[in-house]
Amino acid sequence: MYNSYLSKSKGYKICMILLSVLSVGLLIGSYVWVSGRNAVLLPSVGQIWARCVKLFVNPIKGVNLLAHVWASLRRVLLALLFSWTAGVVFGILIGWSKTLNAIFGSIFELFRPIPPIAWIPIVIMWFGIGEFPKILIVIIGSIVPVVVNTRAGVSLVEQQYVDVGTVFGADNRQMLSNIIMPVALPSIFAGLRTSVSSGWTVVLAAEMLGADHGVGALVTRGWNASDMALVLVSIIVIAIIGALLSVGLSLAEKVVCPWNQ
């Protein structure tokens, strides 16, 4: 019975992988077909590749494509380091303490519906267009899903488990590490994945409004110069980096909380 179930499970996974490959193949095939009929609207795959190579041979603003990618990644990673730390701590506090939730939860709910991009003009007017404003905008855009999912994960802890810990004399640290975190970790990782996607989107928007280096700056450069190949190179890089970050977090989740698989 178990072997039969295992073979069906493997067959299902293989089928899903084939469907994913097929969907990507259809997307590429559709693009090749459309670009072949209207090269003005969409440059060919060869033109996109040639433009990508040109970014290394003839760098924009003195840096090649990898340097632009690293400029965007560095901003996102610095912002995520703060967002993840502060977001998880704040989410645990307002999720665990009814008093703190009453004090700070309502304020958080007031600001939560505001789109991160809406803060860009305010941040630029206050701090200019340097590095700090861009990182701050990413923090604003990435901290909200971390707080929301952490608070939701903490709320999943059943009271009976807390009562058992209290009976056995568990202190706050033991309660957090042995009862709260194992239950909340899957929700926390869901928030981290969402924050990566949100942060990556926001940093590109911030760079498009004013930056010399970064993938968003490349999009703006291609837009202003009517260089569709450069815009598409930037979009493809954005998609690849976003997918790699998501896969990396998924692998980290499997290692940190394997019981959720």
Side-chain angles (χ1 to χ4, degrees), residues 20-34:
S20 298
V21 173
L22 178 62
S23 64
V24 174
L26 287 175
L27 176 63
I28 296 174
S30 300
Y31 181 90
V32 172
W33 183 78
V34 174

Side-chain angles (χ1 to χ4, degrees), residues 89-108 151:
V89 172
F90 184 66
I92 290 175
L93 290 177
I94 64 176
W96 185 249
S97 173
K98 293 182 179 180
T99 303
L100 292 176
N101 185 53
I103 297 173
F104 299 106
S106 56
I107 299 175
F108 174 74
R151 180 171 63 177

Side-chain angles (χ1 to χ4, degrees), residues 125-142:
M125 285 189 291
W126 284 354
F127 303 104
I129 56 174
E131 281 297 303
F132 174 73
K134 295 179 181 61
I135 296 174
L136 179 59
I137 291 170
V138 179
I139 291 174
I140 294 173
S142 59

Side-chain angles (χ1 to χ4, degrees), residues 96 98 155-166 179:
W96 185 249
K98 293 182 179 180
S155 67
L156 294 175
V157 179
E158 297 183 17
Q159 186 61 38
Q160 60 181 342
Y161 298 132
V162 178
D163 295 338
V164 170
T166 303
I179 297 177

Side-chain angles (χ1 to χ4, degrees), residues 211-229:
D212 291 330
H213 303 140
V215 183
L218 291 181
V219 174
T220 303
R221 174 70 174 252
W223 178 22
N224 292 334
S226 298
D227 189 347
M228 182 60 71

Side-chain angles (χ1 to χ4, degrees), residues 83-253:
S83 296
W84 290 358
T85 304
V88 169
V89 172
F90 184 66
I92 290 175
L93 290 177
I94 64 176
W96 185 249
S97 173
K98 293 182 179 180
T99 303
L100 292 176
N101 185 53
I103 297 173
F104 299 106
S106 56
I107 299 175
F108 174 74
E109 290 297 331
L110 180 65
F111 287 96
R112 184 166 72 111
I114 302 175
I117 296 178
W119 292 99
I120 292 178
I122 297 176
V123 172
I124 290 177
M125 285 189 291
W126 284 354
F127 303 104
I129 56 174
E131 281 297 303
F132 174 73
K134 295 179 181 61
I135 296 174
L136 179 59
I137 291 170
V138 179
I139 291 174
I140 294 173
S142 59
I143 196 172
V144 171
V146 180
V147 176
V148 171
N149 283 271
T150 301
R151 180 171 63 177
V154 172
S155 67
L156 294 175
V157 179
E158 297 183 17
Q159 186 61 38
Q160 60 181 342
Y161 298 132
V162 178
D163 295 338
V164 170
T166 303
V167 168
F168 282 93
D171 56 25
N172 290 333
R173 182 186 61 80
Q174 292 171 328
M175 198 83 74
L176 178 64
S177 61
N178 297 328
I179 297 177
I180 298 175
M181 292 306 294
V183 176
L185 269 177
S187 296
I188 292 174
F189 268 100
L192 298 185
R193 287 195 298 270
T194 305
S195 71
V196 168
S197 176
S198 178
W200 190 235
T201 302
V202 173
V203 75
L204 295 173
E207 290 173 347
M208 289 177 67
L209 292 177
D212 291 330
H213 303 140
V215 183
L218 291 181
V219 174
T220 303
R221 174 70 174 252
W223 178 22
N224 292 334
S226 298
D227 189 347
M228 182 60 71
L230 177 59
V231 173
L232 288 175
V233 168
S234 305
I235 290 174
I236 293 171
V237 169
I238 290 168
I240 292 174
I241 298 299
L244 290 176
L245 290 174
S246 178
V247 170
L249 269 178
S250 297
L251 293 176
E253 181 180 2

